[in-house]
Amino acid sequence: MKRDQFWTFIDDARNAAEDANDADSVATSAIEIMTGWSADAIARVEQPLWDVLAESYRGDLWGAAYLINGGASDDGFEYFRGWLVSQGRAVYEAALTDPDSLATVPTVLEAASAGHDLDGEAILSIAWHAYQQKTGEELPPDNATHLP
């Protein structure tokens, strides 16, 4: 799956989600969409997902996650990056260009005022869960190249 196709898929999942700003809701709709695809098509989602996660593994974004969530462990930063992906291409790319742009995202402002962490752990395993639901098997371990 090409990167543009991946972002279109994330937009489709956001549009189908009960709450497009909630990463768990976006993950649920993404899995539902993918279960209508072939097993091979589902498996092809994993590489661009891990590519954008690796691309966002940056100190300046970790700092933003730390400030927004009131701390960011290794796992916490990974879950934050999952949340970032779930927000769609525009928010993701703006954050990579300027992490301070997150200060204007309504979901960030709401989470900060309520004291909630931005967590997208469920996004990290959408291909795995959809593949398992479709085939009853685990996603092949060599399906994608995983970088930090």
Side-chain angles (χ1 to χ4, degrees):
M1 174 179 277
K2 303 273 189 220
R3 189 174 285 217
D4 287 342
Q5 293 170 310
F6 172 76
W7 285 118
T8 298
F9 160 64
I10 294 296
D11 284 345
D12 291 346
R14 288 178 51 76
N15 289 333
E18 187 174 312
D19 180 355
N21 295 318
D22 178 66
D24 288 342
S25 183
V26 174
T28 297
S29 70
I31 292 166
E32 288 172 3
I33 290 168
M34 284 190 288
T35 56
W37 299 353
S38 71
D40 287 341
I42 294 168
R44 286 193 295 271
V45 170
E46 189 178 24
Q47 188 64 59
L49 172 61
W50 286 103
D51 289 346
V52 297
L53 289 169
E55 181 180 57
S56 63
Y57 189 81
R58 299 178 7 184
D60 55 352
L61 279 175
W62 202 324
Y66 189 91
L67 289 172
I68 292 167
N69 284 347
S73 65
D74 290 345
D75 288 346
F77 182 49
E78 186 170 14
Y79 304 157
F80 176 84
R81 291 179 4 251
W83 168 83
L84 184 59
V85 170
S86 79
Q87 298 306 293
R89 187 177 205 164
V91 171
Y92 172 88
E93 289 182 349
L96 263 61
T97 300
D98 178 16
D100 289 343
S101 69
L102 292 169
T104 64
V105 174
T107 306
V108 174
L109 297 172
E110 291 168 16
S113 68
H116 296 139
D117 286 351
L118 297 175
D119 178 334
E121 180 180 8
I123 292 293
L124 306 176
S125 58
I126 57 174
W128 190 89
H129 285 292
Y131 192 89
Q132 188 175 45
Q133 285 181 27
K134 181 75 173 188
T135 67
E137 299 174 6
E138 292 186 8
L139 195 60
D142 60 348
N143 185 57
T145 303
H146 295 181
L147 300 171

